[in-house]
PDB file of all heavy atoms in Angstrom:
ATOM      1  N   GLY A 286      23.693  13.742  38.448  1.00  0.00           N
ATOM      2  CA  GLY A 286      25.070  13.331  38.234  1.00  0.00           C
ATOM      3  C   GLY A 286      25.313  12.585  36.944  1.00  0.00           C
ATOM      4  O   GLY A 286      26.338  12.758  36.286  1.00  0.00           O
ATOM      5  N   LEU A 287      24.383  11.709  36.555  1.00  0.00           N
ATOM      6  CA  LEU A 287      24.539  10.883  35.366  1.00  0.00           C
ATOM      7  C   LEU A 287      23.157  10.432  34.926  1.00  0.00           C
ATOM      8  O   LEU A 287      22.288  10.187  35.763  1.00  0.00           O
ATOM      9  CB  LEU A 287      25.395   9.655  35.700  1.00  0.00           C
ATOM     10  CG  LEU A 287      25.663   8.656  34.576  1.00  0.00           C
ATOM     11  CD1 LEU A 287      27.118   8.201  34.646  1.00  0.00           C
ATOM     12  CD2 LEU A 287      24.758   7.451  34.683  1.00  0.00           C
ATOM     13  N   GLU A 288      22.933  10.351  33.616  1.00  0.00           N
ATOM     14  CA  GLU A 288      21.680   9.808  33.108  1.00  0.00           C
ATOM     15  C   GLU A 288      21.986   8.735  32.079  1.00  0.00           C
ATOM     16  O   GLU A 288      23.002   8.789  31.384  1.00  0.00           O
ATOM     17  CB  GLU A 288      20.798  10.893  32.492  1.00  0.00           C
ATOM     18  CG  GLU A 288      21.339  11.509  31.225  1.00  0.00           C
ATOM     19  CD  GLU A 288      20.435  12.583  30.662  1.00  0.00           C
ATOM     20  OE1 GLU A 288      19.238  12.632  30.986  1.00  0.00           O
ATOM     21  OE2 GLU A 288      20.934  13.388  29.867  1.00  0.00           O
ATOM     22  N   TRP A 289      21.111   7.733  32.016  1.00  0.00           N
ATOM     23  CA  TRP A 289      21.328   6.601  31.126  1.00  0.00           C
ATOM     24  C   TRP A 289      19.977   6.016  30.752  1.00  0.00           C
ATOM     25  O   TRP A 289      19.158   5.742  31.627  1.00  0.00           O
ATOM     26  CB  TRP A 289      22.190   5.586  31.861  1.00  0.00           C
ATOM     27  CG  TRP A 289      22.454   4.289  31.172  1.00  0.00           C
ATOM     28  CD1 TRP A 289      22.698   4.097  29.849  1.00  0.00           C
ATOM     29  CD2 TRP A 289      22.534   3.006  31.775  1.00  0.00           C
ATOM     30  NE1 TRP A 289      22.926   2.767  29.602  1.00  0.00           N
ATOM     31  CE2 TRP A 289      22.836   2.078  30.775  1.00  0.00           C
ATOM     32  CE3 TRP A 289      22.393   2.553  33.079  1.00  0.00           C
ATOM     33  CZ2 TRP A 289      22.984   0.715  31.020  1.00  0.00           C
ATOM     34  CZ3 TRP A 289      22.541   1.210  33.325  1.00  0.00           C
ATOM     35  CH2 TRP A 289      22.841   0.310  32.304  1.00  0.00           C
ATOM     36  N   ASN A 290      19.747   5.850  29.477  1.00  0.00           N
ATOM     37  CA  ASN A 290      18.513   5.247  28.988  1.00  0.00           C
ATOM     38  C   ASN A 290      18.853   3.905  28.361  1.00  0.00           C
ATOM     39  O   ASN A 290      19.766   3.812  27.539  1.00  0.00           O
ATOM     40  CB  ASN A 290      17.842   6.155  27.962  1.00  0.00           C
ATOM     41  CG  ASN A 290      16.474   5.663  27.548  1.00  0.00           C
ATOM     42  OD1 ASN A 290      15.877   4.815  28.186  1.00  0.00           O
ATOM     43  ND2 ASN A 290      15.968   6.214  26.468  1.00  0.00           N
ATOM     44  N   ASN A 291      18.124   2.851  28.770  1.00  0.00           N
ATOM     45  CA  ASN A 291      18.383   1.510  28.273  1.00  0.00           C
ATOM     46  C   ASN A 291      17.050   0.769  28.207  1.00  0.00           C
ATOM     47  O   ASN A 291      16.385   0.622  29.232  1.00  0.00           O
ATOM     48  CB  ASN A 291      19.355   0.799  29.217  1.00  0.00           C
ATOM     49  CG  ASN A 291      19.726  -0.593  28.773  1.00  0.00           C
ATOM     50  OD1 ASN A 291      18.965  -1.284  28.118  1.00  0.00           O
ATOM     51  ND2 ASN A 291      20.912  -1.009  29.171  1.00  0.00           N
ATOM     52  N   ALA A 292      16.676   0.298  27.024  1.00  0.00           N
ATOM     53  CA  ALA A 292      15.402  -0.405  26.851  1.00  0.00           C
ATOM     54  C   ALA A 292      15.319  -1.644  27.736  1.00  0.00           C
ATOM     55  O   ALA A 292      14.231  -2.077  28.101  1.00  0.00           O
ATOM     56  CB  ALA A 292      15.211  -0.790  25.388  1.00  0.00           C
ATOM     57  N   GLY A 293      16.442  -2.212  28.119  1.00  0.00           N
ATOM     58  CA  GLY A 293      16.483  -3.394  28.977  1.00  0.00           C
ATOM     59  C   GLY A 293      16.770  -3.065  30.430  1.00  0.00           C
ATOM     60  O   GLY A 293      17.298  -3.910  31.163  1.00  0.00           O
ATOM     61  N   MET A 294      16.416  -1.858  30.874  1.00  0.00           N
ATOM     62  CA  MET A 294      16.737  -1.398  32.230  1.00  0.00           C
ATOM     63  C   MET A 294      16.124  -2.308  33.296  1.00  0.00           C
ATOM     64  O   MET A 294      15.002  -2.777  33.174  1.00  0.00           O
ATOM     65  CB  MET A 294      16.224   0.031  32.434  1.00  0.00           C
ATOM     66  CG  MET A 294      16.648   0.661  33.755  1.00  0.00           C
ATOM     67  SD  MET A 294      18.435   0.800  33.942  1.00  0.00           S
ATOM     68  CE  MET A 294      18.803   2.038  32.715  1.00  0.00           C
ATOM     69  N   THR A 295      16.916  -2.533  34.351  1.00  0.00           N
ATOM     70  CA  THR A 295      16.455  -3.211  35.562  1.00  0.00           C
ATOM     71  C   THR A 295      16.971  -2.423  36.760  1.00  0.00           C
ATOM     72  O   THR A 295      17.873  -1.581  36.615  1.00  0.00           O
ATOM     73  CB  THR A 295      16.980  -4.661  35.664  1.00  0.00           C
ATOM     74  OG1 THR A 295      18.401  -4.620  35.826  1.00  0.00           O
ATOM     75  CG2 THR A 295      16.591  -5.495  34.455  1.00  0.00           C
ATOM     76  N   VAL A 296      16.425  -2.705  37.916  1.00  0.00           N
ATOM     77  CA  VAL A 296      16.898  -2.059  39.140  1.00  0.00           C
ATOM     78  C   VAL A 296      18.384  -2.367  39.337  1.00  0.00           C
ATOM     79  O   VAL A 296      19.186  -1.477  39.635  1.00  0.00           O
ATOM     80  CB  VAL A 296      16.066  -2.518  40.361  1.00  0.00           C
ATOM     81  CG1 VAL A 296      16.682  -2.028  41.661  1.00  0.00           C
ATOM     82  CG2 VAL A 296      14.630  -2.036  40.235  1.00  0.00           C
ATOM     83  N   ASP A 297      18.758  -3.619  39.143  1.00  0.00           N
ATOM     84  CA  ASP A 297      20.154  -4.021  39.353  1.00  0.00           C
ATOM     85  C   ASP A 297      21.120  -3.320  38.393  1.00  0.00           C
ATOM     86  O   ASP A 297      22.220  -2.931  38.800  1.00  0.00           O
ATOM     87  CB  ASP A 297      20.301  -5.537  39.208  1.00  0.00           C
ATOM     88  CG  ASP A 297      19.556  -6.301  40.297  1.00  0.00           C
ATOM     89  OD1 ASP A 297      19.385  -5.749  41.401  1.00  0.00           O
ATOM     90  OD2 ASP A 297      19.133  -7.432  40.036  1.00  0.00           O
ATOM     91  N   LEU A 298      20.720  -3.151  37.142  1.00  0.00           N
ATOM     92  CA  LEU A 298      21.582  -2.454  36.174  1.00  0.00           C
ATOM     93  C   LEU A 298      21.829  -1.011  36.596  1.00  0.00           C
ATOM     94  O   LEU A 298      22.955  -0.521  36.556  1.00  0.00           O
ATOM     95  CB  LEU A 298      20.958  -2.462  34.780  1.00  0.00           C
ATOM     96  CG  LEU A 298      21.103  -3.706  33.941  1.00  0.00           C
ATOM     97  CD1 LEU A 298      20.298  -3.567  32.647  1.00  0.00           C
ATOM     98  CD2 LEU A 298      22.565  -3.955  33.612  1.00  0.00           C
ATOM     99  N   CYS A 299      20.765  -0.329  36.996  1.00  0.00           N
ATOM    100  CA  CYS A 299      20.895   1.074  37.400  1.00  0.00           C
ATOM    101  C   CYS A 299      21.756   1.203  38.656  1.00  0.00           C
ATOM    102  O   CYS A 299      22.664   2.037  38.708  1.00  0.00           O
ATOM    103  CB  CYS A 299      19.508   1.671  37.627  1.00  0.00           C
ATOM    104  SG  CYS A 299      19.526   3.423  38.061  1.00  0.00           S
ATOM    105  N   ILE A 300      21.488   0.365  39.644  1.00  0.00           N
ATOM    106  CA  ILE A 300      22.269   0.421  40.878  1.00  0.00           C
ATOM    107  C   ILE A 300      23.741   0.141  40.596  1.00  0.00           C
ATOM    108  O   ILE A 300      24.625   0.825  41.114  1.00  0.00           O
ATOM    109  CB  ILE A 300      21.691  -0.556  41.921  1.00  0.00           C
ATOM    110  CG1 ILE A 300      20.379   0.005  42.471  1.00  0.00           C
ATOM    111  CG2 ILE A 300      22.682  -0.828  43.048  1.00  0.00           C
ATOM    112  CD1 ILE A 300      19.623  -0.940  43.383  1.00  0.00           C
ATOM    113  N   ALA A 301      24.012  -0.858  39.764  1.00  0.00           N
ATOM    114  CA  ALA A 301      25.403  -1.205  39.440  1.00  0.00           C
ATOM    115  C   ALA A 301      26.107  -0.046  38.749  1.00  0.00           C
ATOM    116  O   ALA A 301      27.257   0.279  39.078  1.00  0.00           O
ATOM    117  CB  ALA A 301      25.449  -2.451  38.565  1.00  0.00           C
ATOM    118  N   ARG A 302      25.437   0.608  37.810  1.00  0.00           N
ATOM    119  CA  ARG A 302      26.050   1.721  37.078  1.00  0.00           C
ATOM    120  C   ARG A 302      26.339   2.895  38.004  1.00  0.00           C
ATOM    121  O   ARG A 302      27.428   3.478  37.962  1.00  0.00           O
ATOM    122  CB  ARG A 302      25.129   2.153  35.932  1.00  0.00           C
ATOM    123  CG  ARG A 302      25.619   3.322  35.118  1.00  0.00           C
ATOM    124  CD  ARG A 302      26.690   2.906  34.125  1.00  0.00           C
ATOM    125  NE  ARG A 302      27.216   4.004  33.376  1.00  0.00           N
ATOM    126  CZ  ARG A 302      26.781   4.383  32.175  1.00  0.00           C
ATOM    127  NH1 ARG A 302      25.807   3.734  31.587  1.00  0.00           N
ATOM    128  NH2 ARG A 302      27.336   5.394  31.556  1.00  0.00           N
ATOM    129  N   CYS A 303      25.381   3.243  38.838  1.00  0.00           N
ATOM    130  CA  CYS A 303      25.584   4.374  39.759  1.00  0.00           C
ATOM    131  C   CYS A 303      26.656   4.051  40.802  1.00  0.00           C
ATOM    132  O   CYS A 303      27.453   4.925  41.157  1.00  0.00           O
ATOM    133  CB  CYS A 303      24.267   4.753  40.431  1.00  0.00           C
ATOM    134  SG  CYS A 303      23.032   5.433  39.295  1.00  0.00           S
ATOM    135  N   SER A 304      26.681   2.815  41.277  1.00  0.00           N
ATOM    136  CA  SER A 304      27.707   2.400  42.235  1.00  0.00           C
ATOM    137  C   SER A 304      29.090   2.460  41.603  1.00  0.00           C
ATOM    138  O   SER A 304      30.050   2.927  42.223  1.00  0.00           O
ATOM    139  CB  SER A 304      27.442   0.971  42.724  1.00  0.00           C
ATOM    140  OG  SER A 304      26.293   0.927  43.509  1.00  0.00           O
ATOM    141  N   GLN A 305      29.185   1.978  40.370  1.00  0.00           N
ATOM    142  CA  GLN A 305      30.467   1.987  39.650  1.00  0.00           C
ATOM    143  C   GLN A 305      31.007   3.405  39.494  1.00  0.00           C
ATOM    144  O   GLN A 305      32.212   3.625  39.535  1.00  0.00           O
ATOM    145  CB  GLN A 305      30.267   1.349  38.274  1.00  0.00           C
ATOM    146  CG  GLN A 305      31.519   1.294  37.434  1.00  0.00           C
ATOM    147  CD  GLN A 305      31.231   0.689  36.064  1.00  0.00           C
ATOM    148  OE1 GLN A 305      30.119   0.717  35.560  1.00  0.00           O
ATOM    149  NE2 GLN A 305      32.270   0.140  35.460  1.00  0.00           N
ATOM    150  N   GLU A 306      30.116   4.352  39.352  1.00  0.00           N
ATOM    151  CA  GLU A 306      30.510   5.756  39.198  1.00  0.00           C
ATOM    152  C   GLU A 306      30.624   6.480  40.545  1.00  0.00           C
ATOM    153  O   GLU A 306      30.784   7.694  40.583  1.00  0.00           O
ATOM    154  CB  GLU A 306      29.501   6.483  38.297  1.00  0.00           C
ATOM    155  CG  GLU A 306      29.380   5.899  36.898  1.00  0.00           C
ATOM    156  CD  GLU A 306      30.597   6.149  36.034  1.00  0.00           C
ATOM    157  OE1 GLU A 306      31.324   7.137  36.264  1.00  0.00           O
ATOM    158  OE2 GLU A 306      30.831   5.336  35.114  1.00  0.00           O
ATOM    159  N   SER A 307      30.493   5.759  41.647  1.00  0.00           N
ATOM    160  CA  SER A 307      30.662   6.264  43.024  1.00  0.00           C
ATOM    161  C   SER A 307      29.619   7.294  43.451  1.00  0.00           C
ATOM    162  O   SER A 307      29.911   8.184  44.258  1.00  0.00           O
ATOM    163  CB  SER A 307      32.072   6.839  43.209  1.00  0.00           C
ATOM    164  OG  SER A 307      33.035   5.831  42.987  1.00  0.00           O
ATOM    165  N   PHE A 308      28.394   7.161  42.966  1.00  0.00           N
ATOM    166  CA  PHE A 308      27.306   8.032  43.416  1.00  0.00           C
ATOM    167  C   PHE A 308      26.648   7.443  44.654  1.00  0.00           C
ATOM    168  O   PHE A 308      26.755   6.245  44.925  1.00  0.00           O
ATOM    169  CB  PHE A 308      26.266   8.226  42.305  1.00  0.00           C
ATOM    170  CG  PHE A 308      26.743   9.118  41.202  1.00  0.00           C
ATOM    171  CD1 PHE A 308      27.146   8.588  39.992  1.00  0.00           C
ATOM    172  CD2 PHE A 308      26.806  10.493  41.377  1.00  0.00           C
ATOM    173  CE1 PHE A 308      27.594   9.405  38.960  1.00  0.00           C
ATOM    174  CE2 PHE A 308      27.254  11.322  40.359  1.00  0.00           C
ATOM    175  CZ  PHE A 308      27.655  10.780  39.158  1.00  0.00           C
ATOM    176  N   LYS A 309      25.934   8.279  45.410  1.00  0.00           N
ATOM    177  CA  LYS A 309      25.264   7.847  46.636  1.00  0.00           C
ATOM    178  C   LYS A 309      23.856   7.310  46.377  1.00  0.00           C
ATOM    179  O   LYS A 309      23.341   6.522  47.162  1.00  0.00           O
ATOM    180  CB  LYS A 309      25.160   9.015  47.625  1.00  0.00           C
ATOM    181  CG  LYS A 309      26.490   9.471  48.168  1.00  0.00           C
ATOM    182  CD  LYS A 309      26.291  10.632  49.128  1.00  0.00           C
ATOM    183  CE  LYS A 309      27.620  11.152  49.633  1.00  0.00           C
ATOM    184  NZ  LYS A 309      27.446  12.319  50.507  1.00  0.00           N
ATOM    185  N   TYR A 310      23.225   7.770  45.283  1.00  0.00           N
ATOM    186  CA  TYR A 310      21.843   7.395  45.008  1.00  0.00           C
ATOM    187  C   TYR A 310      21.661   7.007  43.544  1.00  0.00           C
ATOM    188  O   TYR A 310      22.299   7.564  42.655  1.00  0.00           O
ATOM    189  CB  TYR A 310      20.887   8.553  45.319  1.00  0.00           C
ATOM    190  CG  TYR A 310      20.963   9.011  46.744  1.00  0.00           C
ATOM    191  CD1 TYR A 310      21.693  10.138  47.088  1.00  0.00           C
ATOM    192  CD2 TYR A 310      20.308   8.314  47.753  1.00  0.00           C
ATOM    193  CE1 TYR A 310      21.777  10.559  48.406  1.00  0.00           C
ATOM    194  CE2 TYR A 310      20.389   8.724  49.079  1.00  0.00           C
ATOM    195  CZ  TYR A 310      21.119   9.841  49.388  1.00  0.00           C
ATOM    196  OH  TYR A 310      21.208  10.250  50.690  1.00  0.00           O
ATOM    197  N   ALA A 311      20.736   6.067  43.344  1.00  0.00           N
ATOM    198  CA  ALA A 311      20.300   5.676  42.009  1.00  0.00           C
ATOM    199  C   ALA A 311      18.797   5.910  41.946  1.00  0.00           C
ATOM    200  O   ALA A 311      18.079   5.663  42.913  1.00  0.00           O
ATOM    201  CB  ALA A 311      20.611   4.203  41.756  1.00  0.00           C
ATOM    202  N   GLY A 312      18.330   6.400  40.811  1.00  0.00           N
ATOM    203  CA  GLY A 312      16.902   6.626  40.628  1.00  0.00           C
ATOM    204  C   GLY A 312      16.452   6.123  39.273  1.00  0.00           C
ATOM    205  O   GLY A 312      17.088   6.407  38.258  1.00  0.00           O
ATOM    206  N   LEU A 313      15.372   5.373  39.261  1.00  0.00           N
ATOM    207  CA  LEU A 313      14.819   4.851  38.010  1.00  0.00           C
ATOM    208  C   LEU A 313      13.562   5.621  37.665  1.00  0.00           C
ATOM    209  O   LEU A 313      12.778   5.977  38.552  1.00  0.00           O
ATOM    210  CB  LEU A 313      14.506   3.367  38.161  1.00  0.00           C
ATOM    211  CG  LEU A 313      15.770   2.533  38.324  1.00  0.00           C
ATOM    212  CD1 LEU A 313      15.817   1.875  39.656  1.00  0.00           C
ATOM    213  CD2 LEU A 313      15.906   1.561  37.200  1.00  0.00           C
ATOM    214  N   GLN A 314      13.374   5.870  36.367  1.00  0.00           N
ATOM    215  CA  GLN A 314      12.258   6.686  35.934  1.00  0.00           C
ATOM    216  C   GLN A 314      11.756   6.212  34.574  1.00  0.00           C
ATOM    217  O   GLN A 314      12.548   5.866  33.693  1.00  0.00           O
ATOM    218  CB  GLN A 314      12.720   8.152  35.847  1.00  0.00           C
ATOM    219  CG  GLN A 314      11.617   9.136  35.595  1.00  0.00           C
ATOM    220  CD  GLN A 314      12.119  10.570  35.591  1.00  0.00           C
ATOM    221  OE1 GLN A 314      11.857  11.305  34.659  1.00  0.00           O
ATOM    222  NE2 GLN A 314      12.846  10.981  36.622  1.00  0.00           N
ATOM    223  N   TYR A 315      10.464   6.199  34.420  1.00  0.00           N
ATOM    224  CA  TYR A 315       9.779   5.961  33.142  1.00  0.00           C
ATOM    225  C   TYR A 315      10.111   4.615  32.498  1.00  0.00           C
ATOM    226  O   TYR A 315      10.130   4.466  31.295  1.00  0.00           O
ATOM    227  CB  TYR A 315      10.062   7.128  32.192  1.00  0.00           C
ATOM    228  CG  TYR A 315       8.985   7.334  31.152  1.00  0.00           C
ATOM    229  CD1 TYR A 315       7.704   7.663  31.542  1.00  0.00           C
ATOM    230  CD2 TYR A 315       9.261   7.186  29.810  1.00  0.00           C
ATOM    231  CE1 TYR A 315       6.711   7.851  30.597  1.00  0.00           C
ATOM    232  CE2 TYR A 315       8.273   7.377  28.856  1.00  0.00           C
ATOM    233  CZ  TYR A 315       7.000   7.704  29.267  1.00  0.00           C
ATOM    234  OH  TYR A 315       6.004   7.879  28.317  1.00  0.00           O
ATOM    235  N   GLY A 316      10.469   3.632  33.339  1.00  0.00           N
ATOM    236  CA  GLY A 316      10.679   2.276  32.863  1.00  0.00           C
ATOM    237  C   GLY A 316      12.040   1.960  32.274  1.00  0.00           C
ATOM    238  O   GLY A 316      12.501   0.830  32.346  1.00  0.00           O
ATOM    239  N   THR A 317      12.712   2.968  31.705  1.00  0.00           N
ATOM    240  CA  THR A 317      13.983   2.706  31.019  1.00  0.00           C
ATOM    241  C   THR A 317      15.098   3.680  31.379  1.00  0.00           C
ATOM    242  O   THR A 317      16.212   3.552  30.884  1.00  0.00           O
ATOM    243  CB  THR A 317      13.798   2.744  29.488  1.00  0.00           C
ATOM    244  OG1 THR A 317      13.350   4.044  29.093  1.00  0.00           O
ATOM    245  CG2 THR A 317      12.811   1.686  29.025  1.00  0.00           C
TER     246      THR A 317
END
C-alpha cells in the first residue's frame, strides 16, 4: 500500500504513518 524509507525509523513512526493513511498493517524492514 505504501513504502517509506527513513534513516531515523522507529516502530512508532511506521505505525503512526500507516495508521494515518488508514492501513490495517505496518511492516518494518531492513532497519529503515
Side-chain angles (χ1 to χ4, degrees):
L287 179 139
E288 67 180 340
W289 175 39
N290 187 15
N291 182 331
M294 187 61 69
T295 66
V296 171
D297 294 332
L298 280 174
C299 182
I300 287 173
R302 178 78 182 266
C303 293
S304 292
Q305 180 182 25
E306 300 289 334
S307 299
F308 287 104
K309 293 180 183 177
Y310 301 100
L313 293 116
Q314 188 177 128
Y315 206 63
T317 61

